[in-house]
Amino acid sequence: MEQGRMEAGESAFAWWQRGIVYEVYPRSFQDSNGDGIGDLNGIRQRLPYLQWLGVDALWIPPVYTSPMADFGYDVSNYCDIEPMFGTLADMDALIADAHERGIRIILDFVPNHTSDQHPWFVQSRSSRDNPYRDWYIWRDAKPDGSPPSNWWAHLGGIAWTLDEPTGQYYLHSFLPQQPDLNWRNPAVLQALKQQLRFWLERGVDGFRMDALMHLYKDDQFRDNPPNPDWLPEKQAEHDQVIPLHTLNLPENLQAVAAMRSLLDEFDDDRMMLGELYLQTKDLVAYYGERGRGVQLPTNSTLILHAFEPAQIKEDIRDYELALPAYAWPNWSFGNHDRPRFATRAGTDHARLGAMLLLTLRGTPIIYYGDELGMTDVPVAPENLQDPFEKRSPGKGLGRDPVRSPMRWDDSEHAGFSTAQPWLPVGDGYQALNVHQAQADPHSLLNLYQRLIELRRTHIALAVGSITLLEAPADIVAYVREHAGQRIAVVLNFSRKARAYSHPLFADTKVLMTTDGMEDQFGNALKLSPLNGAILQLRAAPPIPVLL
Ligand code: GLC
Ligand code: CA
């Protein structure tokens, strides 16, 4: 076996460490029954594409029974499938087919809140002495008649809604149709564990845990302090206070440990991806004591920060320094809530971005369509879907543009559906679609596919250590190393050609460049504008064994 080459099954690393996660927004991936909305059978039809691309796991946002106030993040039955997405049998078939192709399934789980139509909440609101009353967070008005605290909801408006028949307010960190569960009541954890167990027994490989930093709130309901830096024109309403008493409470870590111990009752391979927008120093706590927490607490630095070299170097350095020894990193550029990477960074940076994301140390999480270079698709006011935009209009916070249908080919509706899709496909799909991109050897899509293949076949890229190299301001360079294999990545962020050399680069072999011309360098490393290269370095000299 070539030194450092990986073979299937051979590894001390778990699949979620070696592998690549791909987020499929289910409403927008593939419609199989002509109603303009993506569904489970649609995802199943597209498994050959996902296998060709080379991803190891699909994260699927909620497809459970839901009134769709927040497009599935308002669950009314965790143990069934929303008819518009299919049936439980369709989900079983998707899990089985995906597994057959070596692709794992990560379901999105919503532990912070349910739908207001969930039977638990229907009971809870029915009377003050209903046994389910305390499953949610009910509170009297303040003596002056105002809401119980100054807490704001994350999708617009205040976080309290008055239930007139019972005369109390209930808390919702998101929409009024998404009442928050009361994690201080142990019955809630027991019930949620049963829902999780249902899916673990059906064979899902893990969960993306939604809104994990919200689970516990201050038990004294103290007001949050005002945020003096709030920009009312640009920022959401909830940003006017600092979420001291509503976000990232220490008790959240107990909840995480409890869910993890349930996963551990199954085999070692079941995992959690936690939605957490936190600074690195707070984020790492979610790995749990001795790593018995969330395996992949999502690192949002590349989502929130500017895509520019000084920032990227700082983010890599800070993150790597903050990670405890047992913690496995992860990286992503976006998801169904955030502007697309190619829109934020510019389409001309998409190739550099692909090389960065797929060569950093840690699990890459790809948002569907980013591998094509899809950009945000504007939505006309009369076609608005996202409740966030409707409740906070005009601030550019709406999430419809990042959820546009996947572009498969140049036929009407881009091969996504035979009917008018729920969101517009957008302009330019005739030239930018999977069918066309697969045929073009220089497409971004083929670059993604080749990078994924390279990562899969080179253990240093998949699981190796990372060391940043000294480099000029517009170059990001690092070395990945494992089992005697040493690989360098050099990314030129300048719009000019740049030369870069490093003593480690003697005997260099170019494995890949972002512009597809692997042999252009000769012996000197010259990078064309906005181009990156992956170099195979001479293997580290073996450590002499002294007898
Ligand atoms: C998460 C989801 C988002 C949803 C919210 C409420 O942030 O990613 O789409 O609106 O939770 O469940
Ligand atoms: Ca459909």
Side-chain angles (χ1 to χ4, degrees):
M1 192 177 71
E2 185 188 315
Q3 204 175 27
R5 240 190 132 74
M6 280 199 295
E7 294 211 328
E10 166 243 58
S11 180
F13 293 86
W15 65 267
W16 49 267
Q17 296 176 304
R18 297 187 311 267
I20 291 163
V21 177
Y22 183 97
E23 182 187 358
V24 176
Y25 193 66
R27 294 178 70 91
S28 300
F29 202 58
Q30 178 66 56
D31 173 20
S32 71
N33 62 350
D35 63 358
I37 298 172
D39 44 54
L40 292 177
N41 285 334
I43 298 174
R44 215 169 125 213
Q45 284 166 21
R46 294 299 186 181
L47 286 173
Y49 166 75
L50 296 162
Q51 191 179 19
W52 167 82
L53 185 59
V55 299
D56 298 272
L58 307 183
W59 148 25
I60 308 176
V63 287
Y64 318 105
T65 320
S66 167
M68 293 285 149
D70 188 21
F71 296 114
Y73 285 95
D74 47 324
V75 180
S76 55
N77 182 356
Y78 290 92
C79 298
D80 205 350
I81 299 292
E82 168 60 30
M84 95 179 36
F85 292 126
T87 62
L88 270 178
D90 295 336
M91 177 57 98
D92 288 342
L94 173 61
I95 296 171
D97 282 10
H99 284 175
E100 201 144 293
R101 292 174 186 274
I103 298 175
R104 319 267 173 157
I105 299 291
I106 301 172
L107 292 187
D108 212 315
F109 192 76
V110 189
N112 180 68
H113 46 269
T114 67
S115 160
D116 62 347
Q117 304 302 308
H118 195 292
W120 300 339
F121 188 73
V122 173
Q123 291 279 334
S124 185
R125 88 184 306 172
S126 67
S127 77
R128 286 197 186 204
D129 52 15
N130 185 281
Y132 284 89
R133 186 67 169 182
D134 192 42
W135 282 43
Y136 293 83
I137 301 171
W138 291 97
R139 208 66 197 152
D140 292 333
K142 282 185 178 163
D144 68 359
S146 63
S149 70
N150 72 346
W151 299 351
W152 289 85
H154 277 241
L155 297 174
I158 65 164
W160 295 101
T161 289
L162 178 64
D163 178 62
E164 303 228 340
T166 58
Q168 283 188 308
Y169 285 86
Y170 67 88
L171 181 74
H172 49 89
S173 295
F174 295 89
L175 299 175
Q177 298 94 322
Q178 293 168 297
D180 280 31
L181 285 159
N182 177 15
W183 269 83
R184 295 188 187 277
N185 179 348
V188 166
L189 171 64
Q190 290 318 315
L192 289 176
K193 276 173 134 179
Q194 277 172 29
Q195 325 294 307
L196 289 165
R197 194 180 286 281
F198 174 86
W199 289 107
L200 289 164
E201 282 167 356
R202 275 191 122 84
V204 307
D205 301 284
F207 301 99
R208 180 264 193 180
M209 291 292 180
D210 181 67
L212 214 43
M213 57 191 184
H214 290 267
L215 299 186
Y216 278 85
K217 293 94 196 170
D218 184 36
D219 57 0
Q220 296 164 55
F221 299 89
R222 283 170 287 186
D223 277 352
N224 277 325
N227 172 11
D229 302 324
W230 183 50
L231 303 170
E233 259 89 84
K234 283 167 79 181
Q235 289 182 301
E237 283 169 301
H238 68 259
D239 286 322
Q240 64 194 276
V241 294
I242 295 167
L244 188 65
H245 300 303
T246 43
L247 270 193
N248 192 30
L249 267 63
E251 293 95 320
N252 289 351
L253 301 176
Q254 295 162 20
V256 162
M259 292 191 282
R260 171 65 183 269
S261 61
L262 171 69
L263 263 66
D264 288 348
E265 284 178 31
F266 292 76
D267 44 73
D268 281 353
D269 269 5
R270 313 292 178 107
M271 55 81 77
M272 289 188 280
L273 186 71
E275 186 201 21
L276 296 154
Y277 290 96
L278 290 173
Q279 293 195 353
T280 306
K281 66 172 175 38
D282 296 322
L283 181 73
V284 295
Y286 285 78
Y287 284 104
E289 245 176 84
R290 299 182 314 283
R292 308 316 293 167
V294 177
Q295 288 93 333
L296 299 176
T298 50
N299 161 17
S300 53
T301 52
L302 290 178
I303 298 179
L304 300 178
H305 297 168
F307 190 68
E308 57 95 26
Q311 182 70 58
I312 291 166
K313 287 183 226 185
E314 188 183 316
D315 287 343
I316 296 173
R317 203 173 292 124
D318 288 355
Y319 187 47
E320 286 286 341
L321 278 174
L323 290 174
Y326 48 73
W328 189 253
N330 66 84
W331 296 93
S332 65
F333 280 141
N335 55 48
H336 63 282
D337 295 324
R338 302 285 161 165
R340 280 196 181 269
F341 175 69
T343 297
R344 286 188 293 115
T347 46
D348 54 355
H349 283 78
R351 301 177 78 85
L352 274 184
M355 187 168 275
L356 178 76
L357 182 65
L358 293 165
T359 59
L360 283 171
R361 184 177 90 94
T363 307
I365 306 168
I366 299 174
Y367 184 49
Y368 85 96
D370 279 0
E371 74 276 25
L372 276 178
M374 276 170 60
T375 49
D376 292 354
V377 173
V379 175
E382 63 278 10
N383 195 24
L384 279 184
Q385 303 288 333
D386 184 14
F388 194 16
E389 179 66 37
K390 291 179 185 168
R391 293 167 65 88
S392 306
K395 294 184 182 182
L397 299 171
R399 300 166 296 179
D400 291 334
V402 314
R403 298 173 175 178
S404 64
M406 182 67 171
R407 299 164 170 216
W408 295 105
D409 58 41
D410 63 4
S411 66
E412 201 185 4
H413 312 312
F416 164 72
S417 175
T418 50
Q420 186 68 38
W422 75 290
L423 281 173
V425 168
D427 295 336
Y429 74 86
Q430 293 87 349
L432 187 77
N433 59 64
V434 169
H435 183 75
Q436 167 277 337
Q438 281 184 318
D440 172 4
H442 298 297
S443 67
L444 180 67
L445 179 61
N446 275 314
L447 178 67
Y448 262 88
Q449 192 275 336
R450 288 188 302 132
L451 283 163
I452 291 172
E453 175 73 19
L454 197 72
R455 188 177 174 101
R456 185 182 297 287
T457 52
H458 290 74
I459 197 162
L461 287 177
V463 300
S465 61
I466 186 166
T467 311
L468 278 170
L469 298 179
E470 233 12 272
D474 44 18
I475 288 185
V476 177
Y478 45 89
V479 171
R480 305 286 316 278
E481 185 163 357
H482 189 82
Q485 188 180 70
R486 214 181 232 179
I487 290 179
V489 179
V490 185
L491 304 166
N492 175 18
F493 280 76
S494 165
R495 293 186 185 275
K496 297 200 177 114
R498 280 273 186 274
Y500 180 72
S501 63
H502 192 281
L504 282 174
F505 289 4
D507 291 343
T508 293
K509 177 176 148 213
V510 177
L511 290 174
M512 192 185 285
T513 67
T514 53
D515 63 6
M517 290 179 285
E518 263 86 275
D519 53 1
Q520 67 174 330
F521 298 130
N523 285 329
L525 181 56
K526 287 204 203 84
L527 289 161
S528 52
L530 300 180
N531 184 23
I534 302 178
L535 317 172
Q536 171 106 49
L537 306 183
R538 200 171 43 201
I543 299 166
V545 182
L546 301 176
L547 292 173

